[in-house]
Every structure is written in C-alpha cells, then in structure tokens.
Amino acid sequence: MPQQKDIVKIAIQMPGAYPQLIQLDQKKPLSAVIKEVCDGWNLPGPDNYALQYADGVQTYITESNRLDIKNGCILRLTKAPGRCAEDLYKGIQSSDSGVRCDSLKELANVSTDVTFAQEFISRDGHLLLVKIVEDANESNVIMTHTLSGFMELMDHGIVSWENLSSFFIKKIASFVNGKLTDVSIQQVSLDILESMVLSSHGLFLHVKQEITMERLIAHLQVTNQQIQTKAMALLMALLQTAGDSDRQDIFAFLNKKNLRQYIYKNIIHSSGSVQDKMAHYLYVLQSVTLNHMEARMRTPMDCYSQEQRDILHNLRLAAFETETENSLNHERRRSLCAKEFKKLGFSNNSNPGQDLVRTPPGLLALDTMCYFAARYPDAYSRFVLENSSREDKHECPFGRSSIQLTLILCEILRIGEPPSETGSDYHPVFFSQDRLMEELFCVCIQLLNKTWKEMRATQEDFDKVMQVVREQITRTLSSKPTSLELFKNKVNALNYSEILKLRQTERLHQEETLALPVVELKERLKPELLELIRQQRLNRLCQGTMFKKISSRRRQDKLWYCRLSPNHKMLHYGDAEEDTDSPTIEALQKKIPVADIKGLLMGKDCPHMKEHKGKQNKDILDLAFSITYDVEEDSLNFIAPSRTDFCLWTDGLSVLLGGDMSSESMRSELEILLSMEIKLRLLDLENVPIPERAPVVPKPPSNYNFCYDFSQTEQ
C-alpha cells in the first residue's frame, strides 16, 4: 500500500478521448504509469507515448522531474520525445517545402524541452539544421524557423558551441552583415552570435573577425527596437569578452564611428521609452567605458618620475606667473615652489606628489586637474587666485579638494566595479559627452568652490563640505539629466540652503518624538499597523510579480510569474511572456501548497547562489531568496527585479510561514505610518508641551458637597 505522501491526484487528457482521473504513485516507474493510461484508452505500444503538462510550458514528464507534479495537475498523453524527434527529423528532410516549414516551426517550439532536445541531438538533428543554414537554399520563413530551433537546442548546453564549423559562423555573420536580410533572420542571428561570443574566447576572436562593425552600428540606427536591442547585446558581449588589447581596438573603432552620438540620438532620444533590456546594455556600456580609467585610478604617483613631476609643475605654472623663476638659485626656487604649491592647496607643499600616492584616486586626480587647467584656464586661474589671496582661513584648497572630488566621482560612477548582471542604472548624460568624468569634474570643482563659500567653511569643515558636494552630485544625477548643461544648471540650483531644506524635510519625516507618553502610544499602535502591513504584503503576493531567470550562458533569460492564491493556500507560478502584464492563476501551470513550505532562505544561503559560488556579485546576492518545500527539501528560487520587490516577497512569505517581517522596507513603512498616526492624534496638542511623566492625580476631596444635584432641580 503506497504512503499517502507518494500519491498525487491528477487528470490526464488525450484529444478525442474522455480524460482519466488517476492517483499517481510517485514510487511506481513512469513506464508502468504510461502503460496503465494507454490500457485505459486501449492504445497499443505504450513505448511510443509520454506524458507532458497540458497547460503553459508543455514540458515532458521524466523520472528526474516527476516530483514536480502536484495535486490537481493536468497532464496530456502525447508522442514520446524519441518518436517526436524521429518524425521531425524526417519531416525536415521532406521534399515538400510545406512539410519542411511545418516541421521546423514545430521544432522551434518543442526544442525548449531538454528531454526532446537530447533525443533530437542524439540523432544528429542539430547537424541537419547546420547543413540547411550552410546551404542557404531555403525561404526566409524556413530559415527563421531553422535558426530559432537551432538556438533553442544549443541553449541547453548539450552541444558545445566550439564544435561549429568556420563556414557556419561565417554564414551566420553574413545574415547580420547583409543589408537585405530578413529582419526575423537578423534577430536570431544576432542572438546566436552573442551566445557564441560569451561561450569562449576562441569564438570571440572568430566572430570579431567575421562581423562587420559598421553593420552592427547601423543596426542601432534602425527604428526596430528588437534589432537595436539584439545588436547592442552582441556589441556588449564583444566588449565584455575581449581582452584589454582587443577592447581598446573595439573602443577606438566605435569612437571613430561616433557610436555615442548614434545611441544618444537613436535610442535615448527616440520617440519610445528605453526598454529594460536596452537599459541594461546601456548600463553595461557605460560601466565598461568608465572602467578604462581604473588603471589610472589605481596607479599611485611615482615621485621619482620626471614626466609626472613635470606635469605637476605645469599645473603650478598655469596658476602663477613665475617669469623670474629661472634667475633664482636652487634654494630660493625650491622655497618659491613650496609656497606656490601651498597656495595651490596641496597638503604636502614641499613634495606635492605625496598627496597623489593614495589610491584611489591615484593619477586619475592628476589627470582631472590637468584637464580642468587646460580646458578651462580662466576658471582654473580664478579658482586658485581667489583662494590663495585670502587670509581669513576660509580659503578652499584646490589640490586637496580636487583629489577628494575625483574619489567621490569614482565612487558615484562606480569606476572599477564590474557591471552587474541585472543593473540598468545608466546616466543619459554619459552619452552626451565624450569625456564625462573630466567634464563632470570641471563642473563639480567649481560647484565645490561655490558651496565652500556658501558654508563659510574653513579647513576644519573640509569633510562636511565634501559630504554636501557628494549629496548635490548624487541628487542631481538621480534626476537623470540628459545633457551636461542641464546637469550644470540643476546642480548649481541645488545650493547649500536647498540641501539644508531637503535634509530638514527628510528629518521631519523620520523624526521620533522621545516623550515617554508618545513612546507608549507608539507601542500601543504598533500591533494594529503591523497587521495593516501584513495584509498589504499578502495582497501584493496575490497580485504577483514577474521574475527573470538568470543563467550562466545568457545574461537575460526567459521570464516567469509567481502569485499567491486569494485564499492564501497556494503559490502559483509558471513561465510567462514579456508582454504579459499579469497572468491569471489558471495560466500558471505549477503550484506549491503553502502548508508544504518549510522555510525561507535569503542571500548566500539560497541553493541557486551556492551553485554559482564566487560568480555572483553583491547586487545579485541582495536580491536572491528561496523557499524550501516538501520533505525532500525541494526549493523554488527567486531573483527579485528590485530591492523593493525583494522586501515585499520576503515579508509576505514570512507572514505565510507565521514568522515576523524583518525587511528594511517594513521598518521604514512602519515608521512612516506611526509618524502619521502620532501626528494626527497630537493635532489638538499643537504648541502644548508634553510632559515626560504623567501629572500626579490629586487625592479625592473629603466631601462632595460642592457637587450640584440636577435631579432635585428637575423635580
């Protein structure tokens, strides 16, 4: 007698027959189950049949994935993957073009299933597709289905990309390079080339040799957003896989062809909004480009390098007129240099190179200072002379400020950090300038001088000023200015008094009243407000969220959706299309009973993070969570699209499991609700001081003769 936990109640369908309702014993071999089902419909040859999900992604049921079947699942009896692979293999070789087209179209659909893919590849079906591509005798429709099917088969990782012939790669590249190629063929070809480049350095070199970079840039100028995105994806794959030398060559070519201007004009300023995938690739391009400065940022100044010392002295000469310097002896010249470097704002005036030994920002600080002095000589001279002539201890040190400002810009722009797999925080202003870092420095060093004067700062206030400047830059960049001029106007409008007002407003929102009666009132209100947050979290889970699958082969994979049932008893999930806003529960073919959930894991404790240990960056770890369910401790793994979604889901799942909510989002919302509730309740006490202790209640009077008896008057 099988145990109850091994029994799953399911329905099995077959076209033209009444469905069978069976109790599936998970301990019984799958072949025996299929035989019983075939006997129920009097079907001969059970070996020719298999089970697959009837709804959503129609995955074949195998011994390895059969435990995913849950109560209430609807399965379908269909052709076995081996038989299906054989039929399609023959259909693809048919002399009838209609049969070939239908077979290849079906192949593109069923190849998403790994079981079918293994069967088809075992018959060398992928080589048949390679031959069709190499011969190039088919129509555009057939070629599109062929490439789509090939891409799906290769995506399983069963066959290595390196097994492909040079002629095949050349053919795929020709589809991208050709001006008259069908758009659908170009899209899939760009996808295939991207996967090749990401798979190995050898294929990167091969693709780089075959692809015409001019055509790749031309694809960014078209109005078709899909082509733009695929071309951008391939370009980013080439840049990220390339070695330093190859990357420099690609960048040199892209700069020569004005790639930045193309992106700025045709993507950022296009009529439509920038899609999520394109935003990711723009972020990657920004990150890879800015990381060119990492070497300079991490290189300290060599005080014995004559070349570097000459650059530093030229910075001094550009600020001060020293016509008589050559007539001075060595000691007096040395004394004059030390005095002028002190006026220039260096901490170590006798050997200013020591100020640039710290990394970061290293030599990058010297580069930015020299750029400012050469690009804006009047502004540079005005800054230095204005502060060097002051004797009231309010002078702003140019050298020290420049070094610290360069470090702040490096941190804000994340120079030296590898691009995140899911990041999309690009700055439109980056694509409006060829030398963003240097131009930002030139704007911000003048802003720093302005802020220094507004704060009437002295040397002791240096760190405070730098904090305000960092806040000014960060707040302005977060508003996504699209040009340097717009950034300059906004950041200068955000003066010190505006920063103080913003801080004060934020402080009022976060401020806690520490009076004991108010604290006690807060404690009484907390349970009610926490229950409100719990209900909001559960409602959000019922609404559902779209999650991205991340794999090692392709950065952005397919999407899946997860939502909680209205009665809070089932967690429904399944694959979804990108253009689907909110799939219904019926469209999500998989589900997990909430009662079966055993625990909630977050960050590095998640199974999918342990599998890629060492490969995941902090951004991914901060968004990862998993739930374990069933006695076998299966897990459903998530990577939240944002930190907000991470907090909502982990809180909601904690509530379902009977635990406490612990996210920073919950704490922030609780404080906001408490603050609002307290303010509403204290409206009548405006300008009335609240005592720390409750007033003493006086003793009752010795008699109550002072009371007026209304009852006697009425009589």
Side-chain angles (χ1 to χ4, degrees), residues 389-415:
S389 60
R390 300 184 70 166
E391 296 180 357
D392 55 0
K393 296 184 179 180
H394 288 285
E395 68 277 3
C396 177
F398 174 77
R400 184 184 176 194
S401 299
S402 297
I403 293 168
Q404 190 62 26
L405 177 61
T406 304
L407 178 60
I408 288 173
L409 288 173
C410 287
E411 290 171 354
I412 291 173
L413 297 175
R414 299 187 174 185
I415 295 175

mmCIF file of all heavy atoms in Angstrom, residues 389-415:
data_model
loop_
_atom_site.group_PDB
_atom_site.id
_atom_site.type_symbol
_atom_site.label_atom_id
_atom_site.label_comp_id
_atom_site.label_asym_id
_atom_site.label_seq_id
_atom_site.Cartn_x
_atom_site.Cartn_y
_atom_site.Cartn_z
ATOM 1 N N SER A 389 44.665 84.154 -2.273
ATOM 2 C CA SER A 389 44.847 85.524 -1.789
ATOM 3 C C SER A 389 44.096 85.784 -0.487
ATOM 4 O O SER A 389 44.243 86.841 0.118
ATOM 5 C CB SER A 389 44.377 86.518 -2.851
ATOM 6 O OG SER A 389 43.001 86.306 -3.138
ATOM 7 N N ARG A 390 43.284 84.825 -0.058
ATOM 8 C CA ARG A 390 42.514 85.020 1.171
ATOM 9 C C ARG A 390 43.377 84.739 2.390
ATOM 10 O O ARG A 390 44.220 83.839 2.382
ATOM 11 C CB ARG A 390 41.284 84.104 1.184
ATOM 12 C CG ARG A 390 40.353 84.358 0.014
ATOM 13 C CD ARG A 390 39.110 83.518 0.098
ATOM 14 N NE ARG A 390 38.237 83.945 1.191
ATOM 15 C CZ ARG A 390 36.965 83.564 1.319
ATOM 16 N NH1 ARG A 390 36.432 82.755 0.419
ATOM 17 N NH2 ARG A 390 36.237 83.989 2.313
ATOM 18 N N GLU A 391 43.167 85.510 3.463
ATOM 19 C CA GLU A 391 43.953 85.318 4.685
ATOM 20 C C GLU A 391 43.054 85.158 5.905
ATOM 21 O O GLU A 391 43.478 85.343 7.038
ATOM 22 C CB GLU A 391 44.888 86.520 4.885
ATOM 23 C CG GLU A 391 45.920 86.658 3.779
ATOM 24 C CD GLU A 391 46.838 87.853 3.987
ATOM 25 O OE1 GLU A 391 46.619 88.590 4.978
ATOM 26 O OE2 GLU A 391 47.743 88.035 3.170
ATOM 27 N N ASP A 392 41.788 84.804 5.671
ATOM 28 C CA ASP A 392 40.856 84.687 6.796
ATOM 29 C C ASP A 392 40.522 83.229 7.124
ATOM 30 O O ASP A 392 39.494 82.935 7.709
ATOM 31 C CB ASP A 392 39.565 85.442 6.472
ATOM 32 C CG ASP A 392 38.941 84.977 5.150
ATOM 33 O OD1 ASP A 392 39.525 84.082 4.504
ATOM 34 O OD2 ASP A 392 37.876 85.507 4.787
ATOM 35 N N LYS A 393 41.398 82.307 6.708
ATOM 36 C CA LYS A 393 41.246 80.872 6.975
ATOM 37 C C LYS A 393 40.030 80.257 6.271
ATOM 38 O O LYS A 393 39.631 79.152 6.582
ATOM 39 C CB LYS A 393 41.155 80.596 8.482
ATOM 40 C CG LYS A 393 42.410 80.957 9.244
ATOM 41 C CD LYS A 393 42.287 80.565 10.697
ATOM 42 C CE LYS A 393 43.565 80.916 11.469
ATOM 43 N NZ LYS A 393 43.472 80.553 12.888
ATOM 44 N N HIS A 394 39.446 80.992 5.314
ATOM 45 C CA HIS A 394 38.298 80.467 4.590
ATOM 46 C C HIS A 394 38.672 80.063 3.164
ATOM 47 O O HIS A 394 37.799 79.885 2.323
ATOM 48 C CB HIS A 394 37.174 81.505 4.547
ATOM 49 C CG HIS A 394 36.492 81.698 5.863
ATOM 50 N ND1 HIS A 394 35.593 80.790 6.380
ATOM 51 C CD2 HIS A 394 36.600 82.696 6.785
ATOM 52 C CE1 HIS A 394 35.156 81.220 7.557
ATOM 53 N NE2 HIS A 394 35.756 82.379 7.831
ATOM 54 N N GLU A 395 39.972 79.896 2.872
ATOM 55 C CA GLU A 395 40.379 79.536 1.520
ATOM 56 C C GLU A 395 40.051 78.062 1.245
ATOM 57 O O GLU A 395 40.178 77.200 2.111
ATOM 58 C CB GLU A 395 41.868 79.796 1.304
ATOM 59 C CG GLU A 395 42.821 78.909 2.092
ATOM 60 C CD GLU A 395 43.046 79.401 3.521
ATOM 61 O OE1 GLU A 395 42.414 80.414 3.920
ATOM 62 O OE2 GLU A 395 43.849 78.766 4.246
ATOM 63 N N CYS A 396 39.610 77.793 0.030
ATOM 64 C CA CYS A 396 39.282 76.425 -0.395
ATOM 65 C C CYS A 396 40.508 75.837 -1.092
ATOM 66 O O CYS A 396 40.939 76.354 -2.128
ATOM 67 C CB CYS A 396 38.089 76.448 -1.350
ATOM 68 S SG CYS A 396 37.642 74.818 -2.014
ATOM 69 N N PRO A 397 41.106 74.754 -0.563
ATOM 70 C CA PRO A 397 42.340 74.192 -1.144
ATOM 71 C C PRO A 397 42.056 73.438 -2.445
ATOM 72 O O PRO A 397 41.394 72.399 -2.430
ATOM 73 C CB PRO A 397 42.832 73.247 -0.048
ATOM 74 C CG PRO A 397 41.603 72.842 0.695
ATOM 75 C CD PRO A 397 40.655 74.002 0.623
ATOM 76 N N PHE A 398 42.557 73.949 -3.557
ATOM 77 C CA PHE A 398 42.275 73.330 -4.856
ATOM 78 C C PHE A 398 42.807 71.899 -4.936
ATOM 79 O O PHE A 398 42.090 70.983 -5.354
ATOM 80 C CB PHE A 398 42.880 74.177 -5.976
ATOM 81 C CG PHE A 398 42.761 73.532 -7.335
ATOM 82 C CD1 PHE A 398 41.559 73.538 -8.017
ATOM 83 C CD2 PHE A 398 43.848 72.891 -7.926
ATOM 84 C CE1 PHE A 398 41.430 72.933 -9.259
ATOM 85 C CE2 PHE A 398 43.732 72.280 -9.167
ATOM 86 C CZ PHE A 398 42.518 72.302 -9.837
ATOM 87 N N GLY A 399 44.077 71.697 -4.572
ATOM 88 C CA GLY A 399 44.692 70.373 -4.706
ATOM 89 C C GLY A 399 43.982 69.317 -3.882
ATOM 90 O O GLY A 399 43.565 68.267 -4.394
ATOM 91 N N ARG A 400 43.825 69.584 -2.596
ATOM 92 C CA ARG A 400 43.181 68.616 -1.699
ATOM 93 C C ARG A 400 41.730 68.368 -2.124
ATOM 94 O O ARG A 400 41.261 67.223 -2.130
ATOM 95 C CB ARG A 400 43.237 69.145 -0.264
ATOM 96 C CG ARG A 400 42.689 68.180 0.779
ATOM 97 C CD ARG A 400 42.703 68.820 2.152
ATOM 98 N NE ARG A 400 42.103 67.961 3.140
ATOM 99 C CZ ARG A 400 41.739 68.336 4.361
ATOM 100 N NH1 ARG A 400 41.950 69.605 4.743
ATOM 101 N NH2 ARG A 400 41.182 67.499 5.210
ATOM 102 N N SER A 401 41.026 69.441 -2.493
ATOM 103 C CA SER A 401 39.620 69.311 -2.916
ATOM 104 C C SER A 401 39.501 68.496 -4.199
ATOM 105 O O SER A 401 38.596 67.659 -4.336
ATOM 106 C CB SER A 401 39.008 70.699 -3.143
ATOM 107 O OG SER A 401 39.029 71.458 -1.964
ATOM 108 N N SER A 402 40.408 68.716 -5.146
ATOM 109 C CA SER A 402 40.369 68.002 -6.424
ATOM 110 C C SER A 402 40.582 66.507 -6.230
ATOM 111 O O SER A 402 39.903 65.677 -6.861
ATOM 112 C CB SER A 402 41.425 68.556 -7.380
ATOM 113 O OG SER A 402 41.159 69.909 -7.682
ATOM 114 N N ILE A 403 41.524 66.166 -5.366
ATOM 115 C CA ILE A 403 41.813 64.745 -5.112
ATOM 116 C C ILE A 403 40.593 64.065 -4.502
ATOM 117 O O ILE A 403 40.184 62.975 -4.929
ATOM 118 C CB ILE A 403 43.044 64.604 -4.195
ATOM 119 C CG1 ILE A 403 44.301 65.089 -4.936
ATOM 120 C CG2 ILE A 403 43.220 63.167 -3.725
ATOM 121 C CD1 ILE A 403 45.517 65.269 -4.055
ATOM 122 N N GLN A 404 39.972 64.719 -3.507
ATOM 123 C CA GLN A 404 38.807 64.132 -2.846
ATOM 124 C C GLN A 404 37.594 64.103 -3.779
ATOM 125 O O GLN A 404 36.825 63.136 -3.774
ATOM 126 C CB GLN A 404 38.477 64.921 -1.576
ATOM 127 C CG GLN A 404 37.444 64.265 -0.670
ATOM 128 C CD GLN A 404 37.899 62.916 -0.129
ATOM 129 O OE1 GLN A 404 39.103 62.670 -0.004
ATOM 130 N NE2 GLN A 404 36.954 62.035 0.165
ATOM 131 N N LEU A 405 37.422 65.138 -4.596
ATOM 132 C CA LEU A 405 36.302 65.180 -5.534
ATOM 133 C C LEU A 405 36.433 64.077 -6.581
ATOM 134 O O LEU A 405 35.435 63.439 -6.957
ATOM 135 C CB LEU A 405 36.234 66.548 -6.220
ATOM 136 C CG LEU A 405 35.145 66.715 -7.279
ATOM 137 C CD1 LEU A 405 33.758 66.526 -6.679
ATOM 138 C CD2 LEU A 405 35.247 68.078 -7.963
ATOM 139 N N THR A 406 37.654 63.841 -7.060
ATOM 140 C CA THR A 406 37.873 62.761 -8.029
ATOM 141 C C THR A 406 37.493 61.420 -7.419
ATOM 142 O O THR A 406 36.856 60.580 -8.074
ATOM 143 C CB THR A 406 39.348 62.733 -8.485
ATOM 144 O OG1 THR A 406 39.712 64.008 -9.004
ATOM 145 C CG2 THR A 406 39.563 61.677 -9.561
ATOM 146 N N LEU A 407 37.842 61.214 -6.150
ATOM 147 C CA LEU A 407 37.475 59.975 -5.453
ATOM 148 C C LEU A 407 35.957 59.839 -5.349
ATOM 149 O O LEU A 407 35.399 58.764 -5.588
ATOM 150 C CB LEU A 407 38.108 59.965 -4.056
ATOM 151 C CG LEU A 407 37.770 58.757 -3.170
ATOM 152 C CD1 LEU A 407 38.233 57.459 -3.816
ATOM 153 C CD2 LEU A 407 38.378 58.913 -1.783
ATOM 154 N N ILE A 408 35.282 60.938 -5.021
ATOM 155 C CA ILE A 408 33.813 60.920 -4.905
ATOM 156 C C ILE A 408 33.173 60.561 -6.242
ATOM 157 O O ILE A 408 32.249 59.735 -6.306
ATOM 158 C CB ILE A 408 33.300 62.281 -4.387
ATOM 159 C CG1 ILE A 408 33.646 62.452 -2.911
ATOM 160 C CG2 ILE A 408 31.798 62.429 -4.612
ATOM 161 C CD1 ILE A 408 33.342 63.830 -2.356
ATOM 162 N N LEU A 409 33.663 61.168 -7.331
ATOM 163 C CA LEU A 409 33.118 60.869 -8.659
ATOM 164 C C LEU A 409 33.351 59.412 -9.044
ATOM 165 O O LEU A 409 32.494 58.771 -9.660
ATOM 166 C CB LEU A 409 33.722 61.802 -9.704
ATOM 167 C CG LEU A 409 33.255 63.265 -9.654
ATOM 168 C CD1 LEU A 409 34.055 64.127 -10.627
ATOM 169 C CD2 LEU A 409 31.767 63.372 -9.963
ATOM 170 N N CYS A 410 34.520 58.877 -8.677
ATOM 171 C CA CYS A 410 34.816 57.456 -8.952
ATOM 172 C C CYS A 410 33.815 56.556 -8.234
ATOM 173 O O CYS A 410 33.352 55.548 -8.784
ATOM 174 C CB CYS A 410 36.233 57.104 -8.506
ATOM 175 S SG CYS A 410 37.529 57.785 -9.570
ATOM 176 N N GLU A 411 33.480 56.910 -6.997
ATOM 177 C CA GLU A 411 32.537 56.100 -6.213
ATOM 178 C C GLU A 411 31.120 56.231 -6.757
ATOM 179 O O GLU A 411 30.394 55.239 -6.860
ATOM 180 C CB GLU A 411 32.587 56.535 -4.744
ATOM 181 C CG GLU A 411 33.883 56.158 -4.056
ATOM 182 C CD GLU A 411 34.031 56.765 -2.668
ATOM 183 O OE1 GLU A 411 33.169 57.587 -2.268
ATOM 184 O OE2 GLU A 411 35.014 56.432 -1.978
ATOM 185 N N ILE A 412 30.714 57.450 -7.125
ATOM 186 C CA ILE A 412 29.358 57.656 -7.649
ATOM 187 C C ILE A 412 29.188 56.952 -8.994
ATOM 188 O O ILE A 412 28.157 56.312 -9.253
ATOM 189 C CB ILE A 412 29.052 59.164 -7.778
ATOM 190 C CG1 ILE A 412 28.936 59.807 -6.390
ATOM 191 C CG2 ILE A 412 27.760 59.395 -8.572
ATOM 192 C CD1 ILE A 412 28.805 61.314 -6.413
ATOM 193 N N LEU A 413 30.201 57.047 -9.860
ATOM 194 C CA LEU A 413 30.140 56.426 -11.190
ATOM 195 C C LEU A 413 30.561 54.960 -11.169
ATOM 196 O O LEU A 413 30.562 54.292 -12.199
ATOM 197 C CB LEU A 413 31.025 57.203 -12.174
ATOM 198 C CG LEU A 413 30.618 58.659 -12.429
ATOM 199 C CD1 LEU A 413 31.642 59.353 -13.315
ATOM 200 C CD2 LEU A 413 29.234 58.742 -13.051
ATOM 201 N N ARG A 414 30.974 54.473 -9.990
ATOM 202 C CA ARG A 414 31.348 53.063 -9.783
ATOM 203 C C ARG A 414 32.474 52.615 -10.704
ATOM 204 O O ARG A 414 32.432 51.534 -11.302
ATOM 205 C CB ARG A 414 30.128 52.151 -9.961
ATOM 206 C CG ARG A 414 29.018 52.447 -8.964
ATOM 207 C CD ARG A 414 27.905 51.441 -9.043
ATOM 208 N NE ARG A 414 26.930 51.653 -7.999
ATOM 209 C CZ ARG A 414 25.887 50.861 -7.750
ATOM 210 N NH1 ARG A 414 25.699 49.789 -8.493
ATOM 211 N NH2 ARG A 414 25.048 51.124 -6.776
ATOM 212 N N ILE A 415 33.468 53.465 -10.822
ATOM 213 C CA ILE A 415 34.636 53.100 -11.628
ATOM 214 C C ILE A 415 35.419 52.016 -10.897
ATOM 215 O O ILE A 415 35.735 52.148 -9.717
ATOM 216 C CB ILE A 415 35.515 54.334 -11.888
ATOM 217 C CG1 ILE A 415 34.749 55.350 -12.738
ATOM 218 C CG2 ILE A 415 36.820 53.940 -12.579
ATOM 219 C CD1 ILE A 415 35.474 56.656 -12.954
#
